[in-house]
Amino acid sequence: MKIIKILLAFTLAAEPLLFPVASLYAQGNSADRDFAQDLQGPAGDEGGPILDGGSDSPPPSSMPQGQMPGSPIDSVQIGGAPKEAPMYEEAESISPLDRKIGPIRLKGAPLSTFLDVVSAQSKVNFIITEGVEAKTITVFLRKTTVREALELLLRVKGLTYQRIGKSNTYVVQKRSVDMPNLITKIYTLNYIPLIPIASVGEDMAAITSQDVSTGSNQDQGGQQQGQQQGQGEKESPISIINIVRSVLSKKNGKLAVDPRTNTLIITDVPEVFPQVEQILSELDKKAPQILIEAQIVEINTDRMNELGIEWGGSRGEMAYFAGPARLTDYGLRPGFYSGDQWKMFFPNTSDVGEASEGSASGGGSIDPIFSTGQQSTKGVYYGVFSLAQLQAIFRALISKGEGRYLGKPKIVAMNNKTALITISKDAAMGTQSTVSSAGGSSGESSTGVERRRIGLVLKVTPQVNKEGYITMVVQPAYADAVASAITVQGETVFDPVSRGASTMVRVKNGQTVVIGGMLASTESKTVKKVPLLGYIPIIGWLFTSVSSRRTNTDLVIFLTPTILVD
């Protein structure tokens, strides 16, 4: 107890002498801390340039104490409310290597000093393997990220780094001799879609029903699709992927696509990425959109004139004569070969009867075999001489018909992307019969309808230049069906008629371009005359009938492109 009292008294007596010495030592440590603070930059949560933060921030009131490995890190209070600093995070909004650092000025400094400065500004931990800390480095960086600093400096020294799990700790070590200097970067495209863009033929097939016009077209479409699939194995249908692959190194360059996030993942040597970034910056730009307003006008004009006197029937019939007929059973009657029945050419009257009950024609009608169908008592069918077709029809008719179709479709198209407008239907052209048989047995016959797609198809590909002009490739096509002059088995068939144009025009924004000239005109004239009498001057008009018909179909398309401003 006495010893403790003696030590306490000695301490109180020596306190006035030790206080000046402690003050001088504290001032020396303060100067060292100011120098290190100027070198390392502010110790903020997110890091940043040295000049952005001052040295007047209060020093930390407490420092974390050493803990056992694996134990949770206690919260550290830095001039305010305590903040949790977990070693592992469930999800991070930004990578630790994307944090801002700088400026950094080092000349001939050890690599460990450079990593110490980066760690102080970005809160990223580094573990240096043996033999690496002795490397010297000279750095003059303004503002950059941790990733760029490591890529530019560590790889120059033949080093590499690896992250430990999801922590903020990275191991810096020497790169293997046979390991190429590869880096991986992710580029998110803003305006170029990383999904295949369908061709015009595929778009047409997607918005219309199946083309059942001919089987050959389907075969050609299948062949073209097979060729496209074969080419797709070598080249991607997305043009930007083929462009980027053309600048990658053949040995180490790899490219992957994530369509969900519209990103490109590229792995290659560092020398390739400046060119890749230049290509993406030049091509990944916002493309203008064009509103295309179309007015489709179709005018049909049909005129028919019928004037004159038409004699006889539709084919000029004036009279009709059918001779008498009689039945015979010569060679078929009983006793023909054994008796004398061969001497009689016609059957007996009693065997024939007085009237024909099984004739195909009724009484009074004309049959090409039985004439009138009336039978005499001698078994003879009466003939006939008829002037019922001798008639004169006076025709004086002038008819005129007009039809107009007006459609106003609107569509928005991207720059250099084909817009497709179609108004069509599958019309019946005629009937077709199919006979199927199996192994020589009697076949089954089925009758169907042959169809052809008719209607309007308009393809427009716009392109906008810097001066506000719009260059358009316009391809309108119109198909229709007209009645044919021939008939098949008494049924009317139709002939498909197509009209189209293909042109490239340049107009100003908001101006209208007119595409016309798709005029179809049909004119027919029929003159019917009575032989000899129809050729007599003046009097011949009484025996002449004239029928004329003219049909005109005109199709005009008005296109008005307008650049949409965001």
Side-chain angles (χ1 to χ4, degrees):
M1 190 65 182
K2 293 181 179 180
I3 295 174
I4 295 174
K5 292 181 178 180
I6 294 172
L7 292 176
L8 181 60
F10 179 76
T11 302
L12 294 175
E15 182 179 359
L17 298 177
L18 296 177
F19 183 76
V21 177
S23 299
L24 294 176
Y25 180 76
Q27 291 179 0
N29 291 341
S30 177
D32 294 338
R33 286 196 303 270
D34 292 341
F35 174 76
Q37 182 70 19
D38 293 339
L39 181 62
Q40 298 177 358
D45 294 338
E46 297 297 333
I50 295 178
L51 300 179
D52 293 344
S55 59
D56 297 336
S57 58
S61 58
S62 62
M63 297 295 293
Q65 301 296 327
Q67 299 177 349
M68 294 297 294
S71 60
I73 300 178
D74 297 335
S75 60
V76 181
Q77 182 177 359
I78 304 179
K83 180 180 180 181
E84 296 295 333
M87 184 176 181
Y88 297 96
E89 299 178 356
E90 296 296 333
E92 54 186 8
S93 58
I94 185 173
S95 174
L97 297 182
D98 293 332
R99 297 176 183 176
K100 300 293 184 178
I101 60 173
I104 300 176
R105 304 178 185 89
L106 296 175
K107 184 176 182 180
L111 181 61
S112 58
T113 304
F114 166 71
L115 296 178
D116 188 15
V117 175
V118 174
S119 176
Q121 295 187 9
S122 62
K123 299 298 181 181
V124 177
N125 304 321
F126 295 99
I127 299 176
I128 306 176
T129 58
E130 184 178 358
V132 176
E133 68 278 0
K135 293 181 177 293
T136 59
I137 194 170
T138 300
V139 181
F140 299 99
L141 298 177
R142 291 293 297 173
K143 292 183 178 180
T144 182
T145 61
V146 180
R147 187 188 308 276
E148 293 175 353
L150 295 180
E151 295 291 342
L152 294 175
L153 300 176
L154 294 184
R155 294 185 179 274
V156 172
K157 295 295 182 178
L159 304 176
T160 184
Y161 61 92
Q162 184 178 1
R163 188 177 184 180
I164 301 178
K166 293 184 178 181
S167 65
N168 292 349
T169 303
Y170 294 82
V171 177
V172 179
Q173 57 188 355
K174 292 183 179 181
R175 190 190 310 119
S176 177
V177 178
D178 55 351
M179 178 181 178
N181 185 12
L182 300 179
I183 59 176
T184 300
K185 289 188 177 182
I186 300 176
Y187 299 96
T188 301
L189 303 182
N190 298 320
Y191 303 106
I192 301 178
L194 293 179
I195 55 177
I197 300 177
S199 61
V200 178
E202 294 174 346
D203 291 339
M204 185 68 182
I207 63 177
T208 57
S209 59
Q210 184 180 2
D211 189 2
V212 294
S213 57
T214 56
S216 59
N217 292 340
Q218 296 179 357
D219 296 340
Q220 293 177 0
Q223 293 177 1
Q224 293 178 358
Q225 184 177 5
Q227 293 176 359
Q228 292 178 358
Q229 292 178 356
Q231 295 177 357
E233 296 176 357
K234 297 181 180 179
E235 294 185 0
S236 173
I238 306 174
S239 59
I240 188 63
I241 296 179
N242 299 326
I243 295 174
V244 173
R245 282 178 178 173
S246 64
V247 300
L248 298 180
S249 60
K250 297 182 180 180
K251 183 179 180 180
N252 301 316
K254 295 181 181 180
L255 185 145
V257 180
D258 184 12
R260 183 182 62 86
T261 57
N262 208 55
T263 55
L264 296 175
I265 301 94
I266 303 175
T267 301
D268 208 339
V269 294
E271 293 81 5
V272 174
F273 286 92
Q275 189 174 2
V276 172
E277 294 171 356
Q278 180 182 3
I279 292 175
L280 295 180
S281 63
E282 292 292 335
L283 298 182
D284 189 23
K285 295 181 180 180
K286 180 171 60 177
Q289 296 187 108
I290 301 95
L291 171 64
I292 301 175
E293 301 180 72
Q295 292 188 9
I296 304 168
V297 181
E298 182 188 7
I299 302 175
N300 297 326
T301 303
D302 190 359
R303 294 183 179 181
M304 183 177 61
N305 298 332
E306 293 183 354
L307 182 62
I309 301 176
E310 184 176 347
W311 293 82
S314 60
R315 301 185 62 181
E317 299 91 344
M318 292 290 187
Y320 182 87
F321 174 76
R326 185 175 180 178
L327 298 178
T328 179
D329 58 353
Y330 190 80
L332 300 177
R333 66 174 60 95
F336 181 82
Y337 296 101
S338 60
D340 57 353
Q341 296 292 328
W342 58 272
K343 298 179 181 180
M344 302 180 62
F345 185 79
F346 296 103
N348 296 326
T349 305
S350 60
D351 295 335
V352 176
E354 296 183 355
S356 176
E357 299 179 356
S359 60
S361 302
S365 63
I366 300 175
D367 188 271
I369 298 178
F370 302 114
S371 300
T372 60
Q374 297 295 326
Q375 186 181 15
S376 68
T377 56
K378 301 298 183 180
V380 178
Y381 291 88
Y382 293 106
V384 64
F385 176 75
S386 175
L387 295 177
Q389 299 294 329
L390 183 58
Q391 57 184 352
I393 301 175
F394 180 74
R395 300 182 185 275
L397 175 64
I398 297 177
S399 64
K400 181 180 179 181
E402 291 185 358
R404 182 177 181 181
Y405 168 78
L406 178 62
K408 294 184 178 180
K410 297 181 181 180
I411 193 170
V412 178
M414 294 289 293
N415 192 35
N416 289 323
K417 180 65 174 67
T418 301
L420 183 63
I421 301 174
T422 176
I423 306 172
S424 62
K425 68 176 181 178
D426 289 339
M429 298 287 105
T431 60
Q432 59 181 359
S433 300
T434 304
V435 178
S436 60
S437 60
S441 60
S442 59
E444 297 180 356
S445 177
S446 60
T447 303
V449 179
E450 183 181 1
R451 296 183 178 273
R452 179 81 62 168
R453 179 163 298 160
I454 62 174
L456 177 68
V457 177
L458 177 61
K459 299 178 184 178
V460 182
T461 305
Q463 182 183 12
V464 181
N465 60 11
K466 297 180 180 179
E467 299 178 359
Y469 283 90
I470 302 174
T471 302
M472 295 188 299
V473 178
V474 186
Q475 295 174 319
Y478 181 76
D480 198 1
V482 297
S484 178
I486 61 175
T487 59
V488 178
Q489 295 180 356
E491 298 181 358
T492 303
V493 296
F494 295 86
D495 298 330
V497 179
S498 300
R499 289 172 289 162
S502 179
T503 181
M504 178 182 291
V505 296
R506 183 179 67 251
V507 295
K508 287 186 177 180
N509 182 25
Q511 288 187 347
T512 301
V513 59
V514 181
I515 300 176
M518 289 184 287
L519 175 64
S521 180
T522 303
E523 184 176 357
S524 62
K525 184 177 181 180
T526 303
V527 179
K528 296 181 179 180
K529 293 184 179 182
V530 177
L532 299 178
L533 298 177
Y535 293 94
I536 300 176
I538 301 175
I539 302 177
W541 183 86
L542 299 175
F543 301 94
T544 303
S545 175
V546 179
S547 176
S548 62
R549 185 167 187 171
R550 177 182 295 178
T551 303
N552 295 330
T553 303
D554 192 8
L555 182 65
V556 182
I557 300 176
F558 301 87
L559 293 178
T560 304
T562 304
I563 302 175
L564 299 181
V565 180
D566 296 339

